[in-house]
Amino acid sequence: IYKIYVNRLKENNSVDFDDLLVLPIKIFQESEEKLIKYQDKFKYVLVDEYQDTNKPQFELIYSLTKIHNDIFVVGDDDQSIYGWRGADISNILNFNEAFDNSKVVKLEQNYRSTQNILSAAWSVVSKNSQRSDKQLWTENEKGDLISILESFNERNESSKILKNFLEVKKNNQDSKNSDFVVLYRTNAQSR
């Protein structure tokens, strides 16, 4: 099936997402002239969410920035979530080694979360041996304690959320439905 897929891409003068990474790398390896052309064209490179880059993305970024070495990346090794699709955390952890004379600026002050949220996050991420040394802090208030809702399936979870919602409304007669919101990570959870 894959051979047919590749042939159809070629017949339609098309590429898929992986090709957008792999083909330029291949071109750069085969033609120094083209590599230099694009190194001169992209003198400054900015990469967001650098903690989630994979090996081909690193190779492409490294190739483009090798001459001018003007690269700016933003990322947080504690927020790498795409290992399952090939993200390589060592890209951010070894940034200084790959890019000489780089400067790391740690943004450790958190402006959004309460101290209780940061303390809970720290109790989890500090156990990770593959992370840079940093300590998040905030000037915000301590905040409410974190509560955990354990459920054995999605129906049980939605039932518990509804029960909590009704309890809050019962204890606060002035509350309206529009005072509440349920946040979820993926759209599939809305079911």
Side-chain angles (χ1 to χ4, degrees):
I1 291 173
Y2 185 72
K3 286 181 180 178
I4 295 169
Y5 172 69
V6 170
N7 286 335
R8 291 274 170 87
L9 285 173
K10 286 181 182 177
E11 289 169 8
N12 290 290
N13 199 25
S14 299
V15 295
D16 65 12
F17 182 75
D18 292 339
D19 292 334
L20 295 174
L21 295 169
V22 176
L23 292 177
I25 293 168
K26 185 178 177 187
I27 291 168
F28 293 161
Q29 289 169 343
E30 293 172 357
S31 171
E32 187 175 354
E33 181 182 315
K34 288 185 178 155
L35 172 59
I36 291 169
K37 173 185 174 184
Y38 285 97
Q39 286 172 331
D40 283 339
K41 182 172 182 159
F42 301 109
K43 291 180 181 174
Y44 308 99
V45 175
L46 167 71
V47 183
D48 194 13
E49 301 295 348
Y50 191 74
Q51 76 276 1
D52 289 323
T53 55
N54 58 31
K55 185 172 173 44
Q57 288 168 323
F58 172 81
E59 286 183 37
L60 182 62
I61 293 163
Y62 187 77
S63 295
L64 288 172
T65 60
K66 203 170 187 177
I67 289 178
H68 300 289
N69 209 22
D70 248 324
I71 180 168
F72 182 94
V73 304
V74 178
D76 182 353
D77 54 311
D78 287 332
Q79 294 189 35
S80 181
I81 59 172
Y82 290 110
W84 57 271
R85 73 170 191 201
D88 185 351
I89 193 68
S90 69
N91 289 346
I92 195 166
L93 293 175
N94 301 328
F95 184 81
N96 285 351
E97 295 166 24
F99 298 95
D100 295 337
N101 301 317
S102 57
K103 179 180 179 184
V104 174
V105 177
K106 295 179 183 181
L107 304 177
E108 297 174 306
Q109 183 176 5
N110 186 296
Y111 297 93
R112 294 184 296 184
S113 298
T114 62
Q115 187 58 54
N116 279 332
I117 297 286
L118 294 181
S119 297
W122 173 252
S123 71
V124 174
V125 300
S126 65
K127 308 282 189 283
N128 186 353
S129 61
Q130 289 191 307
R131 64 185 302 275
S132 62
D133 184 34
K134 62 182 173 298
Q135 179 69 48
L136 294 180
W137 61 278
T138 186
E139 291 179 349
N140 293 343
E141 60 190 49
K142 193 166 186 161
D144 294 336
L145 292 176
I146 296 172
S147 61
I148 298 174
L149 176 74
E150 292 187 57
S151 306
F152 56 87
N153 65 26
E154 67 276 5
R155 291 189 183 279
N156 181 251
E157 180 181 34
S158 61
S159 176
K160 286 181 177 182
I161 290 171
L162 179 60
K163 184 178 175 185
N164 185 293
F165 169 82
L166 294 173
E167 177 128 358
V168 170
K169 281 195 69 156
K170 181 177 145 191
N171 293 334
N172 184 353
Q173 299 293 324
D174 295 334
S175 64
K176 305 180 294 272
N177 288 350
S178 61
D179 294 332
F180 298 86
V181 64
V182 176
L183 302 175
Y184 46 89
R185 182 129 181 114
T186 61
N187 193 43
Q189 290 177 294
S190 66
R191 296 185 195 113

